[in-house]
PDB file of all heavy atoms in Angstrom:
ATOM      1  N   LYS A 447    -130.917-183.759 169.871  1.00 54.00           N
ATOM      2  CA  LYS A 447    -130.842-183.547 171.245  1.00 54.00           C
ATOM      3  C   LYS A 447    -132.271-183.278 171.840  1.00 54.00           C
ATOM      4  O   LYS A 447    -133.073-182.756 171.112  1.00 54.00           O
ATOM      5  CB  LYS A 447    -129.884-182.548 171.692  1.00 54.00           C
ATOM      6  CG  LYS A 447    -130.198-181.092 171.283  1.00 54.00           C
ATOM      7  CD  LYS A 447    -129.143-180.188 171.782  1.00 54.00           C
ATOM      8  CE  LYS A 447    -129.563-178.695 171.343  1.00 54.00           C
ATOM      9  NZ  LYS A 447    -128.436-177.705 171.833  1.00 54.00           N
ATOM     10  N   ALA A 448    -132.420-183.658 173.126  1.00 50.00           N
ATOM     11  CA  ALA A 448    -133.716-183.411 173.758  1.00 50.00           C
ATOM     12  C   ALA A 448    -133.729-182.009 174.367  1.00 50.00           C
ATOM     13  O   ALA A 448    -132.756-181.580 174.944  1.00 50.00           O
ATOM     14  CB  ALA A 448    -133.943-184.406 174.868  1.00 50.00           C
ATOM     15  N   VAL A 449    -134.833-181.290 174.219  1.00 50.00           N
ATOM     16  CA  VAL A 449    -134.996-179.973 174.634  1.00 50.00           C
ATOM     17  C   VAL A 449    -136.250-179.947 175.550  1.00 50.00           C
ATOM     18  O   VAL A 449    -137.336-180.362 175.063  1.00 50.00           O
ATOM     19  CB  VAL A 449    -135.065-178.972 173.578  1.00 50.00           C
ATOM     20  CG1 VAL A 449    -135.269-177.570 174.101  1.00 50.00           C
ATOM     21  CG2 VAL A 449    -133.889-179.009 172.748  1.00 50.00           C
ATOM     22  N   PRO A 450    -136.119-179.487 176.778  1.00 54.00           N
ATOM     23  CA  PRO A 450    -137.320-179.413 177.641  1.00 54.00           C
ATOM     24  C   PRO A 450    -138.327-178.463 177.171  1.00 54.00           C
ATOM     25  O   PRO A 450    -137.985-177.339 176.516  1.00 54.00           O
ATOM     26  CB  PRO A 450    -136.852-178.993 178.970  1.00 54.00           C
ATOM     27  CG  PRO A 450    -135.583-178.278 178.689  1.00 54.00           C
ATOM     28  CD  PRO A 450    -135.017-178.988 177.452  1.00 54.00           C
ATOM     29  N   ILE A 451    -139.687-178.759 177.239  1.00 49.00           N
ATOM     30  CA  ILE A 451    -140.721-177.848 176.815  1.00 49.00           C
ATOM     31  C   ILE A 451    -141.338-177.219 178.005  1.00 49.00           C
ATOM     32  O   ILE A 451    -141.795-177.955 179.031  1.00 49.00           O
ATOM     33  CB  ILE A 451    -141.842-178.613 176.015  1.00 49.00           C
ATOM     34  CG1 ILE A 451    -141.260-179.265 174.784  1.00 49.00           C
ATOM     35  CG2 ILE A 451    -142.938-177.687 175.629  1.00 49.00           C
ATOM     36  CD1 ILE A 451    -142.173-180.117 173.991  1.00 49.00           C
ATOM     37  N   THR A 452    -141.267-175.978 178.112  1.00 53.00           N
ATOM     38  CA  THR A 452    -141.908-175.255 179.232  1.00 53.00           C
ATOM     39  C   THR A 452    -143.387-175.195 179.051  1.00 53.00           C
ATOM     40  O   THR A 452    -143.928-175.341 177.955  1.00 53.00           O
ATOM     41  CB  THR A 452    -141.344-173.779 179.398  1.00 53.00           C
ATOM     42  OG1 THR A 452    -141.724-173.157 178.192  1.00 53.00           O
ATOM     43  CG2 THR A 452    -139.823-173.853 179.518  1.00 53.00           C
ATOM     44  N   ASP A 453    -144.182-174.939 180.137  1.00 52.00           N
ATOM     45  CA  ASP A 453    -145.677-174.831 180.124  1.00 52.00           C
ATOM     46  C   ASP A 453    -146.074-173.801 179.057  1.00 52.00           C
ATOM     47  O   ASP A 453    -147.035-173.982 178.395  1.00 52.00           O
ATOM     48  CB  ASP A 453    -146.171-174.460 181.538  1.00 52.00           C
ATOM     49  CG  ASP A 453    -146.095-175.656 182.414  1.00 52.00           C
ATOM     50  OD1 ASP A 453    -145.922-176.699 181.970  1.00 52.00           O
ATOM     51  OD2 ASP A 453    -146.236-175.340 183.760  1.00 52.00           O
ATOM     52  N   SER A 454    -145.265-172.672 178.934  1.00 51.00           N
ATOM     53  CA  SER A 454    -145.725-171.725 178.012  1.00 51.00           C
ATOM     54  C   SER A 454    -145.465-172.157 176.636  1.00 51.00           C
ATOM     55  O   SER A 454    -146.165-171.542 175.737  1.00 51.00           O
ATOM     56  CB  SER A 454    -144.859-170.334 178.283  1.00 51.00           C
ATOM     57  OG  SER A 454    -143.435-170.624 178.192  1.00 51.00           O
ATOM     58  N   ALA A 455    -144.661-173.136 176.322  1.00 49.00           N
ATOM     59  CA  ALA A 455    -144.370-173.646 175.009  1.00 49.00           C
ATOM     60  C   ALA A 455    -145.207-174.762 174.563  1.00 49.00           C
ATOM     61  O   ALA A 455    -145.234-175.097 173.472  1.00 49.00           O
ATOM     62  CB  ALA A 455    -142.932-173.965 174.869  1.00 49.00           C
ATOM     63  N   GLN A 456    -146.060-175.257 175.582  1.00 56.00           N
ATOM     64  CA  GLN A 456    -146.818-176.445 175.180  1.00 56.00           C
ATOM     65  C   GLN A 456    -147.953-176.107 174.404  1.00 56.00           C
ATOM     66  O   GLN A 456    -148.389-176.995 173.511  1.00 56.00           O
ATOM     67  CB  GLN A 456    -147.288-177.120 176.446  1.00 56.00           C
ATOM     68  CG  GLN A 456    -146.106-177.838 177.269  1.00 56.00           C
ATOM     69  CD  GLN A 456    -146.638-178.455 178.622  1.00 56.00           C
ATOM     70  OE1 GLN A 456    -147.827-178.661 178.687  1.00 56.00           O
ATOM     71  NE2 GLN A 456    -145.697-178.776 179.411  1.00 56.00           N
ATOM     72  N   GLY A 457    -148.561-174.959 174.432  1.00 65.00           N
ATOM     73  CA  GLY A 457    -149.600-174.718 173.617  1.00 65.00           C
ATOM     74  C   GLY A 457    -150.969-175.262 174.133  1.00 65.00           C
ATOM     75  O   GLY A 457    -151.023-176.144 175.036  1.00 65.00           O
ATOM     76  N   PRO A 458    -152.040-174.862 173.587  1.00 71.00           N
ATOM     77  CA  PRO A 458    -153.431-175.218 174.039  1.00 71.00           C
ATOM     78  C   PRO A 458    -153.661-176.756 173.878  1.00 71.00           C
ATOM     79  O   PRO A 458    -154.386-177.367 174.662  1.00 71.00           O
ATOM     80  CB  PRO A 458    -154.403-174.443 173.204  1.00 71.00           C
ATOM     81  CG  PRO A 458    -153.508-174.001 172.029  1.00 71.00           C
ATOM     82  CD  PRO A 458    -152.089-173.843 172.413  1.00 71.00           C
ATOM     83  N   ASP A 459    -153.063-177.430 172.810  1.00 79.00           N
ATOM     84  CA  ASP A 459    -153.349-178.819 172.534  1.00 79.00           C
ATOM     85  C   ASP A 459    -152.870-179.657 173.639  1.00 79.00           C
ATOM     86  O   ASP A 459    -153.520-180.610 174.228  1.00 79.00           O
ATOM     87  CB  ASP A 459    -152.767-179.273 171.301  1.00 79.00           C
ATOM     88  CG  ASP A 459    -153.497-178.655 170.102  1.00 79.00           C
ATOM     89  OD1 ASP A 459    -154.615-178.160 170.211  1.00 79.00           O
ATOM     90  OD2 ASP A 459    -152.823-178.562 168.934  1.00 79.00           O
ATOM     91  N   LEU A 460    -151.684-179.470 174.130  1.00 83.00           N
ATOM     92  CA  LEU A 460    -151.017-180.186 175.150  1.00 83.00           C
ATOM     93  C   LEU A 460    -151.731-179.893 176.529  1.00 83.00           C
ATOM     94  O   LEU A 460    -151.931-180.832 177.417  1.00 83.00           O
ATOM     95  CB  LEU A 460    -149.610-179.933 175.296  1.00 83.00           C
ATOM     96  CG  LEU A 460    -148.696-180.528 174.195  1.00 83.00           C
ATOM     97  CD1 LEU A 460    -147.331-180.111 174.376  1.00 83.00           C
ATOM     98  CD2 LEU A 460    -148.834-182.013 174.135  1.00 83.00           C
ATOM     99  N   GLN A 461    -152.102-178.736 176.790  1.00 85.00           N
ATOM    100  CA  GLN A 461    -152.923-178.453 177.996  1.00 85.00           C
ATOM    101  C   GLN A 461    -154.261-179.178 177.982  1.00 85.00           C
ATOM    102  O   GLN A 461    -154.655-179.642 179.035  1.00 85.00           O
ATOM    103  CB  GLN A 461    -153.142-176.909 178.085  1.00 85.00           C
ATOM    104  CG  GLN A 461    -151.933-176.075 178.312  1.00 85.00           C
ATOM    105  CD  GLN A 461    -151.480-176.188 179.809  1.00 85.00           C
ATOM    106  OE1 GLN A 461    -152.147-176.843 180.615  1.00 85.00           O
ATOM    107  NE2 GLN A 461    -150.382-175.578 180.035  1.00 85.00           N
ATOM    108  N   HIS A 462    -154.919-179.211 176.843  1.00 81.00           N
ATOM    109  CA  HIS A 462    -156.184-179.945 176.695  1.00 81.00           C
ATOM    110  C   HIS A 462    -155.981-181.359 177.007  1.00 81.00           C
ATOM    111  O   HIS A 462    -156.754-182.036 177.641  1.00 81.00           O
ATOM    112  CB  HIS A 462    -156.770-179.726 175.329  1.00 81.00           C
ATOM    113  CG  HIS A 462    -158.047-180.478 174.998  1.00 81.00           C
ATOM    114  ND1 HIS A 462    -159.135-180.198 175.654  1.00 81.00           N
ATOM    115  CD2 HIS A 462    -158.189-181.560 174.318  1.00 81.00           C
ATOM    116  CE1 HIS A 462    -160.142-181.084 175.292  1.00 81.00           C
ATOM    117  NE2 HIS A 462    -159.543-181.940 174.456  1.00 81.00           N
ATOM    118  N   LEU A 463    -154.857-181.986 176.433  1.00 85.00           N
ATOM    119  CA  LEU A 463    -154.566-183.389 176.629  1.00 85.00           C
ATOM    120  C   LEU A 463    -154.351-183.698 178.168  1.00 85.00           C
ATOM    121  O   LEU A 463    -154.799-184.659 178.660  1.00 85.00           O
ATOM    122  CB  LEU A 463    -153.353-183.787 175.862  1.00 85.00           C
ATOM    123  CG  LEU A 463    -152.875-185.175 175.980  1.00 85.00           C
ATOM    124  CD1 LEU A 463    -153.965-186.119 175.418  1.00 85.00           C
ATOM    125  CD2 LEU A 463    -151.626-185.390 175.184  1.00 85.00           C
ATOM    126  N   ARG A 464    -153.618-182.717 178.861  1.00 85.00           N
ATOM    127  CA  ARG A 464    -153.425-183.018 180.237  1.00 85.00           C
ATOM    128  C   ARG A 464    -154.727-182.976 181.086  1.00 85.00           C
ATOM    129  O   ARG A 464    -154.881-183.883 181.881  1.00 85.00           O
ATOM    130  CB  ARG A 464    -152.456-181.894 180.804  1.00 85.00           C
ATOM    131  CG  ARG A 464    -152.301-181.951 182.332  1.00 85.00           C
ATOM    132  CD  ARG A 464    -151.433-180.822 182.751  1.00 85.00           C
ATOM    133  NE  ARG A 464    -150.090-180.907 182.348  1.00 85.00           N
ATOM    134  CZ  ARG A 464    -149.044-179.965 182.493  1.00 85.00           C
ATOM    135  NH1 ARG A 464    -149.469-178.914 183.122  1.00 85.00           N
ATOM    136  NH2 ARG A 464    -147.898-180.204 182.012  1.00 85.00           N
ATOM    137  N   LEU A 465    -155.621-182.054 180.657  1.00 84.00           N
ATOM    138  CA  LEU A 465    -156.919-181.953 181.404  1.00 84.00           C
ATOM    139  C   LEU A 465    -157.803-183.212 181.148  1.00 84.00           C
ATOM    140  O   LEU A 465    -158.423-183.765 181.960  1.00 84.00           O
ATOM    141  CB  LEU A 465    -157.713-180.691 181.053  1.00 84.00           C
ATOM    142  CG  LEU A 465    -157.103-179.409 181.407  1.00 84.00           C
ATOM    143  CD1 LEU A 465    -157.810-178.246 180.771  1.00 84.00           C
ATOM    144  CD2 LEU A 465    -157.078-179.330 182.934  1.00 84.00           C
ATOM    145  N   LYS A 466    -157.690-183.781 179.880  1.00 83.00           N
ATOM    146  CA  LYS A 466    -158.384-184.922 179.439  1.00 83.00           C
ATOM    147  C   LYS A 466    -157.847-186.079 180.232  1.00 83.00           C
ATOM    148  O   LYS A 466    -158.710-186.950 180.646  1.00 83.00           O
ATOM    149  CB  LYS A 466    -158.297-185.112 178.006  1.00 83.00           C
ATOM    150  CG  LYS A 466    -159.285-186.157 177.464  1.00 83.00           C
ATOM    151  CD  LYS A 466    -160.678-185.750 177.546  1.00 83.00           C
ATOM    152  CE  LYS A 466    -161.674-186.784 176.964  1.00 83.00           C
ATOM    153  NZ  LYS A 466    -163.047-186.323 177.175  1.00 83.00           N
ATOM    154  N   CYS A 467    -156.635-186.181 180.403  1.00 87.00           N
ATOM    155  CA  CYS A 467    -156.023-187.285 181.215  1.00 87.00           C
ATOM    156  C   CYS A 467    -156.582-187.333 182.666  1.00 87.00           C
ATOM    157  O   CYS A 467    -156.884-188.390 183.206  1.00 87.00           O
ATOM    158  CB  CYS A 467    -154.478-187.279 181.148  1.00 87.00           C
ATOM    159  SG  CYS A 467    -153.852-187.808 179.518  1.00 87.00           S
ATOM    160  N   GLU A 468    -156.490-186.168 183.207  1.00 83.00           N
ATOM    161  CA  GLU A 468    -157.025-186.035 184.664  1.00 83.00           C
ATOM    162  C   GLU A 468    -158.536-186.397 184.702  1.00 83.00           C
ATOM    163  O   GLU A 468    -158.905-187.042 185.730  1.00 83.00           O
ATOM    164  CB  GLU A 468    -156.790-184.658 185.108  1.00 83.00           C
ATOM    165  CG  GLU A 468    -155.306-184.246 185.251  1.00 83.00           C
ATOM    166  CD  GLU A 468    -155.158-182.698 185.608  1.00 83.00           C
ATOM    167  OE1 GLU A 468    -156.177-181.982 185.598  1.00 83.00           O
ATOM    168  OE2 GLU A 468    -153.996-182.381 185.936  1.00 83.00           O
ATOM    169  N   GLU A 469    -159.201-186.040 183.620  1.00 82.00           N
ATOM    170  CA  GLU A 469    -160.751-186.374 183.696  1.00 82.00           C
ATOM    171  C   GLU A 469    -160.909-187.869 183.547  1.00 82.00           C
ATOM    172  O   GLU A 469    -161.697-188.467 184.295  1.00 82.00           O
ATOM    173  CB  GLU A 469    -161.329-185.675 182.500  1.00 82.00           C
ATOM    174  CG  GLU A 469    -162.847-185.967 182.454  1.00 82.00           C
ATOM    175  CD  GLU A 469    -163.477-185.303 181.239  1.00 82.00           C
ATOM    176  OE1 GLU A 469    -162.873-184.459 180.574  1.00 82.00           O
ATOM    177  OE2 GLU A 469    -164.646-185.623 180.889  1.00 82.00           O
ATOM    178  N   LEU A 470    -160.059-188.560 182.662  1.00 82.00           N
ATOM    179  CA  LEU A 470    -160.178-189.944 182.542  1.00 82.00           C
ATOM    180  C   LEU A 470    -159.729-190.684 183.741  1.00 82.00           C
ATOM    181  O   LEU A 470    -160.383-191.722 184.160  1.00 82.00           O
ATOM    182  CB  LEU A 470    -159.304-190.454 181.333  1.00 82.00           C
ATOM    183  CG  LEU A 470    -159.812-190.039 180.006  1.00 82.00           C
ATOM    184  CD1 LEU A 470    -158.846-190.383 178.933  1.00 82.00           C
ATOM    185  CD2 LEU A 470    -161.118-190.692 179.678  1.00 82.00           C
TER     186      LEU A 470
END
């Protein structure tokens, strides 16, 4: 089953990926 990931559960790697996408 699919479980939503909260911002607190995403960790630094996913946060970095989000920032990188915005930069691109």
Side-chain angles (χ1 to χ4, degrees):
K447 64 179 181 178
V449 179
I451 299 178
T452 63
D453 287 342
S454 60
Q456 288 181 16
D459 289 341
L460 289 176
Q461 290 287 356
H462 175 74
L463 181 60
R464 175 182 292 174
L465 292 174
K466 191 65 177 178
C467 286
E468 293 175 353
E469 179 183 351
L470 289 173

